[in-house]
Amino acid sequence: MKNHPYVSEDHEGKPWFEWCVALAVVVSGVLAVLGYTKAATVLISVTAIITGLLRLVLRERSPWKVRSVAFDSFIGISLGIGLLATYFSVYLIV
């Protein structure tokens, strides 16, 4: 029998949590299309921050795993904060 590489879904993340994140992304997209860009931005930002914090706090027990704890936490939290900062910085320019 050949040694097969691990498929990430076998040992990383939980499908139910990944589907929840996917649902948040879809809802955010629908909100944006309907013109509720602030709500869409906040939803996707909060989702990113929550996934980053969950990975940081729960470490290997986290339902959200992509790479290492440091990478996942940094990307999630930074993306969330960066999106909010970018969105609201437009109001400072106007």
Side-chain angles (χ1 to χ4, degrees):
M1 186 172 186
K2 290 183 176 182
N3 289 335
H4 293 286
Y6 282 112
V7 176
S8 64
E9 289 83 9
D10 283 345
H11 69 282
E12 294 181 357
K14 302 288 182 223
W16 64 268
F17 189 79
E18 292 168 357
W19 280 110
C20 290
V21 172
L23 179 65
V25 171
V26 169
V27 169
S28 179
V30 170
L31 288 170
V33 167
L34 293 174
Y36 300 106
T37 55
K38 184 186 293 185
T41 303
V42 168
L43 176 60
I44 203 77
S45 297
V46 168
T47 302
I49 292 169
I50 288 172
T51 59
L53 289 174
L54 276 174
R55 184 70 163 122
L56 184 63
V57 171
L58 297 177
R59 306 196 65 80
E60 294 306 317
R61 296 178 296 131
S62 172
W64 181 256
K65 295 179 186 177
V66 178
R67 299 279 180 204
S68 68
V69 172
F71 178 85
D72 293 346
S73 299
F74 177 78
I75 293 298
I77 295 167
S78 297
L79 174 66
I81 293 171
L83 283 173
L84 289 173
T86 303
Y87 182 83
F88 290 111
S89 69
V90 173
Y91 291 110
L92 297 175
I93 294 172
V94 176

